[in-house]
Amino acid sequence: MIERTYKVGMYIRLSREDGDDKESESVENQRDIITNFIESKEDLELVDEYVDDGYTGTNFDRPGFKRLKEDVDKERINCVITKDLSRFGRDHIDTGYYLERYLPSLHVRYIAIGDQVDTLDSKGLGFLTFKLSFNDYYSQDISNKIRAVKKRKQEKGEYLAPYAPFGYKKDTDTNNRNHLLINDETAEVVKRIYKLYLDGMGTPKIAELLNEEGVPAPSSYLDTERYNKCSHKWGKGAIYSILKSKVYLGTITSHKSYKVNHKVKTRIKVPKNEMICVENKHEPIIDEETFNQVQEKLSKGGESRNRLNYNPIKQFVYCGVCGRKASLKTHKREVKSGEIHTHQYFRCNKKGERWSDCDNGTIRNSILLPLVEKTLKEECSKIIFSKGDLTSIYEQAKESSNNKKTLIKRQIEKDENEIISIEKKIEQIYADKIEGIIKIEDFTKFYDSYQQKKEKLNVKLKGLKKELAELDNDKIIDYRKIKKLAEECLNMEELEPALLEKLIDRIEYFKGRKIKIKFKFTESK
């Protein structure tokens, strides 16, 4: 006689590292094994199937698993079955949490057929910790092997992105799938973009022209859920990317970013000098002379701009209340005579947000420019140091910066060691729970406490590393050069962008036509 019938949720997962053609782990194979198992047991009744095809087991950010979890919470199912433990998850800490804390707390049974694990049978749990640790190690090993293979392909100049760049198409030869071939239709658009830009048309105007002519944008060629939601319109960013990309010279650039490890999604950007560039890997669309002319023009874009909203202080202006970057706006108004009156003003970007609490007003450009020039020249006129004073200030600033970097590095090392210590403690309490040394309630309390400490330390570390990077990038200003800059400023007839870049860090504006300038050669102003 059956004492109880369990409502089963069949969970199937196939990860990318398993490979779609690996029969032993295919979705259909897992389904057959679980279905046959359920049919052989009188106390099991299949309610639903949950599939994650192409999702890694190192985390639980999977749509199928999330739906299963929702049904567990709703008590729609009270038993979860997988082909084996690795199909449920490979990270032994998080997998252990779900199998020995989350599911048991809701009185949900779990069965891993291949590993002979059944939470109703204590014998099947004997080697659970070992098996989960092995699965975690296997995932790391696979990740390292995939990364090594990818690196070798990058060094050979193979194009590994899933979609060919605009102007090209993937080679259909199965032995050369990472090779690019020219797409005759879109390559002509690329050539035209380069020509229009060299003829004097800016990136926004080029995008506008292509949209008016109905030329399909790059996103219209990408048949994915993400890009199907796009408007498929050209933008200045897409034009700029095409003008900057070396792929049109026949060069493959790769290793632009990397993941710290197989468990962390965040990608770290790689400096340009460390990227992998392999030349002459496919037929170029743009000749080298044309490409270099475009790069030269792009680099001088700021010098040749003649747009209405160009302004020498635009990049330095911030809101003095909330600290948000200010935007330069242009207002046009037609007067009774029919003339169009135009004026420019700066406005805090936060004021445009629906729930903004910033009450700073706007400031006219015609007011701000003279104020900046007046304050700048007043400050420069005060710079009258003797040679000895200048040397002393420079050495003090340099020593102060080095001391600060040393303190930050020590704190980073201390916090990283603390995180390692916390992770060891989590491992220990997890093992203690499995062996019955501590109760599950105590494990839960300690686990949550350690995770909170770890999260706080990670946030703190991120801030410290950012601060250290900023200090490394900051150059200690040689105060002996300031006098020369000050003299140039005092002799300046109008605000010159190149000189302002050397002098000003930021300009903050407030109500009542008040401003505050932070100079690069003083603490504050």
Side-chain angles (χ1 to χ4, degrees):
M1 182 177 179
I2 302 173
E3 295 183 359
R4 181 181 182 185
T5 300
Y6 286 91
K7 296 176 288 184
V8 176
M10 177 196 306
Y11 182 68
I12 297 169
R13 182 184 66 80
L14 183 68
S15 63
R16 296 181 183 89
E17 57 263 31
D18 292 324
D20 293 337
D21 59 348
K22 190 176 179 182
E23 180 58 32
S24 64
E25 297 296 355
S26 70
V27 170
E28 190 60 39
N29 184 60
Q30 292 180 55
R31 182 184 290 116
D32 289 343
I33 291 173
I34 299 173
T35 301
N36 291 336
F37 181 83
I38 293 173
E39 290 175 351
S40 69
K41 305 292 181 182
E42 294 183 359
D43 61 339
L44 301 179
E45 176 188 345
L46 180 62
V47 172
D48 208 342
E49 175 186 292
Y50 309 85
V51 180
D52 283 319
D53 191 355
Y55 286 85
T56 180
T58 57
N59 63 66
F60 287 86
D61 186 15
R62 320 173 206 147
F65 182 82
K66 289 178 179 178
R67 190 168 66 86
L68 178 143
K69 189 170 178 292
E70 289 174 0
D71 284 350
V72 166
D73 293 335
K74 294 174 183 176
E75 299 183 357
R76 183 168 176 252
I77 59 175
N78 59 6
C79 179
V80 176
I81 300 181
T82 61
K83 173 183 170 290
D84 54 47
L85 278 169
S86 67
R87 298 305 94 200
F88 191 90
R90 290 194 183 277
D91 181 272
H92 73 288
I93 295 296
D94 290 338
T95 303
Y97 161 78
Y98 279 108
L99 296 185
E100 298 190 334
R101 176 182 168 191
Y102 175 74
L103 293 181
S105 69
L106 297 175
H107 307 291
V108 175
R109 181 182 180 185
Y110 171 71
I111 299 173
I113 301 170
D115 292 305
Q116 299 181 345
V117 170
D118 186 340
T119 52
L120 287 185
D121 184 3
S122 59
K123 294 180 181 178
L125 296 173
F127 294 99
L128 183 60
T129 303
F130 169 76
K131 290 175 180 177
L132 291 177
S133 297
F134 177 79
N135 287 338
D136 198 354
Y137 167 78
Y138 173 80
S139 180
Q140 180 180 344
D141 184 54
I142 288 293
S143 176
N144 291 340
K145 289 177 180 176
I146 291 174
R147 184 180 297 185
V149 171
K150 184 178 179 181
K151 187 73 178 294
R152 286 197 296 272
K153 288 178 177 289
Q154 289 174 338
E155 290 170 347
K156 288 165 62 180
E158 295 187 29
Y159 187 81
L160 302 180
Y163 295 98
F166 188 75
Y168 287 98
K169 60 184 178 181
K170 286 287 194 80
D171 197 332
T172 55
D173 186 345
T174 54
N175 296 321
N176 206 14
R177 290 178 298 179
N178 296 326
H179 179 250
L180 296 177
L181 299 175
I182 288 181
N183 182 321
D184 293 331
E185 178 187 353
T186 54
E188 290 303 314
V189 179
V190 173
K191 292 177 182 178
R192 188 181 176 204
I193 288 172
Y194 273 76
K195 184 178 185 305
L196 288 171
Y197 186 73
L198 287 178
D199 287 344
M201 188 176 288
T203 54
K205 288 294 183 182
I206 295 175
E208 184 180 339
L209 176 64
L210 295 178
N211 287 327
E212 287 176 355
E213 295 179 355
V215 177
S219 60
S220 62
Y221 292 90
L222 304 177
D223 186 20
T224 65
E225 182 179 352
R226 172 187 173 188
Y227 288 106
N228 285 338
K229 296 177 182 178
C230 295
S231 62
H232 299 315
K233 294 289 185 181
W234 285 93
K236 63 180 182 180
I239 302 296
Y240 182 80
S241 296
I242 288 174
L243 293 173
K244 289 291 291 182
S245 179
K246 288 185 176 181
V247 74
Y248 300 111
L249 282 175
T251 299
I252 297 295
T253 304
S254 56
H255 188 53
K256 298 177 182 178
S257 64
Y258 67 93
K259 291 199 296 184
V260 177
N261 58 52
H262 67 290
K263 296 183 181 180
V264 181
K265 286 186 175 182
T266 305
R267 301 193 69 86
I268 307 298
K269 287 187 177 181
V270 174
K272 286 187 177 181
N273 62 338
E274 295 179 16
M275 293 180 184
I276 299 174
C277 292
V278 184
E279 299 177 349
N280 303 317
K281 291 307 298 180
H282 52 265
E283 187 179 350
I285 294 176
I286 303 299
D287 63 85
E288 190 170 354
E289 182 181 354
T290 300
F291 186 83
N292 290 337
Q293 287 176 356
V294 167
Q295 304 317 303
E296 185 178 359
K297 187 175 179 184
L298 284 170
S299 65
K300 295 181 179 179
E303 299 174 14
S304 60
R305 286 180 295 186
N306 57 3
R307 299 173 304 184
L308 180 63
N309 65 341
Y310 175 64
N311 188 290
I313 63 171
K314 178 182 175 182
Q315 62 176 312
F316 306 108
V317 183
Y318 290 79
C319 173
V321 175
C322 69
R324 186 72 65 92
K325 185 77 176 66
S327 294
L328 179 62
K329 304 293 182 180
T330 302
H331 177 71
K332 296 181 180 180
R333 179 172 60 90
E334 185 177 354
V335 296
K336 290 182 179 181
S337 63
E339 293 183 28
I340 303 296
H341 285 194
T342 303
H343 77 268
Q344 294 180 315
Y345 63 93
F346 284 94
R347 188 189 75 169
C348 169
N349 279 338
K350 197 171 184 181
K351 287 181 70 62
E353 297 177 3
R354 186 176 179 184
W355 304 111
S356 172
D357 57 356
C358 182
D359 60 353
N360 201 7
T362 61
I363 185 168
R364 282 188 176 236
N365 181 54
S366 59
I367 294 172
L368 183 58
L369 273 174
L371 281 175
V372 170
E373 187 171 359
K374 178 175 178 289
T375 308
L376 188 59
K377 291 192 174 183
E378 285 178 352
E379 183 66 23
C380 287
S381 65
K382 298 175 184 177
I383 303 174
I384 308 174
F385 294 124
S386 68
K387 183 177 179 181
D389 291 332
L390 289 170
T391 303
S392 176
I393 292 173
Y394 173 72
E395 294 301 331
Q396 288 175 16
K398 187 176 180 180
E399 183 180 358
S400 175
S401 176
N402 289 336
N403 289 340
K404 191 172 184 179
K405 285 194 283 188
T406 299
L407 290 174
I408 292 175
K409 287 178 181 178
R410 287 177 182 172
Q411 188 61 51
I412 288 175
E413 184 179 0
K414 180 181 178 182
D415 290 344
E416 286 178 339
N417 288 335
E418 180 65 20
I419 288 175
I420 293 172
S421 175
I422 289 173
E423 289 175 342
K424 288 180 180 178
K425 289 177 181 178
I426 291 175
E427 294 274 3
Q428 185 59 53
I429 62 169
Y430 182 76
D432 289 346
K433 177 177 71 69
I434 296 298
E435 295 175 8
I437 298 175
I438 61 173
K439 297 178 180 179
I440 190 168
E441 295 83 6
D442 293 329
F443 169 78
T444 301
K445 181 175 67 176
F446 288 130
Y447 180 84
D448 290 342
S449 175
Y450 287 144
Q451 288 288 25
Q452 288 175 9
K453 289 180 181 178
K454 184 179 174 182
E455 183 62 30
K456 287 181 180 178
L457 283 169
N458 278 324
V459 172
K460 182 183 175 185
L461 267 175
K462 186 177 180 181
L464 287 171
K465 289 179 179 179
K466 181 180 179 182
E467 187 178 356
L468 183 61
E470 289 174 351
L471 283 173
D472 286 336
N473 291 332
D474 286 344
K475 295 181 179 179
I476 304 299
I477 296 177
D478 189 341
Y479 285 84
R480 290 164 292 193
K481 297 179 181 179
I482 292 179
K483 186 179 290 186
K484 183 179 179 181
L485 289 175
E487 290 172 353
E488 289 181 27
C489 177
L490 292 173
N491 294 327
M492 179 174 60
E493 294 183 2
E494 60 180 25
L495 296 177
E496 298 175 5
L499 186 56
L500 295 181
E501 182 71 33
K502 298 176 182 178
L503 294 169
I504 297 176
D505 181 51
R506 62 192 284 148
I507 301 167
E508 297 177 350
Y509 77 91
F510 303 85
K511 288 182 178 179
R513 301 183 177 184
K514 296 179 180 179
I515 69 168
K516 179 181 180 182
I517 300 179
K518 181 179 179 182
F519 294 92
K520 289 185 175 180
F521 51 80
T522 58
E523 290 298 323
S524 62
K525 173 66 183 173

